[in-house]
Amino acid sequence: MRAAEQWPAQFVAFDLLRMSGTDTTAWPYMRRRAALEELFTTRGLSAPWVLCPSTTDPRVVREWLTWGSVRLEGVVFKRLTDPYRPAVRGWRKYKTRITTEAIVGAVTGPLTAPRTLLLGRYDTGGHLQYTGRTTTLAGTTARAAAALLTPAAGGHPWMGWTFPAGWGSRQLLDVNLVAPDLVVEVGIDVARDAGGRWRHPARFHRIRAELHPMHVPKLGKPD
């Protein structure tokens, strides 16, 4: 009960696969959606039961994609005439992405030719925290970054840390720590884990050598 009061949860319904004992997966999506909307209306469902919004109006979609402040990850596209196909990728997702800055604290691969950059941000207590990792760098980008990276000296804030290969993965990365001096600009989506780390890999945009690490947004603060 205490956890429910502190972190209230909601059930967001976006499709209807079974209704009153009837398998609806063979119905076209527009029929399933109509039945789902009718269910919410006839049952008078309200919070914590939430009906996921849906539209066929491109103008409404464009407005939704501006809702970055509420951490809207993006929108999912479905064909109105398609049935529900389990384990088949028949939907498309458009992710909302922004560009922001982060500090390079480590790399995978050798310092002379890094494959990916491990990124960090300072929290409000002044501690450098891990926020995520880039996708694989292009050769020209790797060479440009390598020229600005310095091997870590003693007392690196990530000394002794381990880093997962991906969100939810148990596989650990083999990393080389570097002095947390280099700032880079990356493209990210808004999906975060409970600790504020980016759930998906960041896309490298450019080196921001003119920026001091303390100019990078703090962990948990708006970008």
Side-chain angles (χ1 to χ4, degrees):
M1 181 65 71
R2 183 179 302 172
E5 292 175 352
Q6 187 173 359
W7 298 291
Q10 293 185 323
F11 183 92
V12 181
F14 60 88
D15 209 335
L16 183 65
L17 308 184
R18 195 171 186 85
M19 183 175 67
S20 301
T22 300
D23 183 355
T24 63
T25 56
W27 294 3
Y29 174 68
M30 65 179 126
R31 182 181 175 187
R32 301 197 312 273
R33 176 70 191 191
L36 182 60
E37 292 177 355
E38 183 180 3
L39 180 64
F40 266 76
T41 300
T42 57
R43 298 287 181 88
L45 297 177
S46 59
W49 301 90
V50 179
L51 178 62
C52 181
S54 178
T55 185
T56 57
D57 189 339
R59 293 171 299 179
V60 175
V61 174
R62 285 193 289 269
E63 180 184 352
W64 287 347
L65 292 174
T66 66
W67 294 358
S69 59
V70 295
R71 299 295 184 188
L72 180 72
E73 290 190 26
V75 293
V76 173
F77 296 89
K78 303 181 183 180
R79 293 187 181 275
L80 295 176
T81 56
D82 276 0
Y84 182 86
R85 298 186 178 94
V88 175
R89 290 191 174 186
W91 306 345
R92 295 185 179 182
K93 183 174 182 179
Y94 179 88
K95 295 182 180 180
T96 303
R97 300 191 72 89
I98 61 173
T99 58
T100 190
E101 289 77 37
I103 304 162
V104 181
V107 303
T108 61
L111 266 61
T112 54
R115 286 192 291 272
T116 65
L117 307 177
L118 277 68
L119 308 172
R121 283 182 168 179
Y122 285 99
D123 60 23
T124 55
H127 306 289
L128 184 65
Q129 302 293 345
Y130 174 63
T131 56
R133 184 165 62 107
T134 67
T135 54
T136 302
L137 302 177
T140 54
T141 300
R143 289 190 290 272
L148 299 173
L149 295 173
T150 304
H156 191 286
W158 293 352
M159 189 71 68
W161 288 23
T162 57
F163 301 90
W167 187 73
S169 172
R170 294 185 179 182
Q171 182 181 354
L172 299 180
L173 295 171
D174 183 13
V175 306
N176 288 306
L177 299 178
V178 298
D181 300 327
L182 181 62
V183 176
V184 295
E185 182 179 334
V186 293
I188 59 170
D189 59 41
V190 298
R192 311 287 175 89
D193 66 12
R197 292 179 292 270
W198 302 322
R199 191 178 300 175
H200 303 128
R203 298 175 184 173
F204 179 90
H205 275 242
R206 57 176 173 155
I207 292 172
R208 299 297 304 273
E210 78 282 7
L211 291 182
H212 189 276
M214 297 311 295
H215 293 157
V216 173
K218 295 291 189 295
L219 185 68
K221 299 293 184 180
D223 293 290

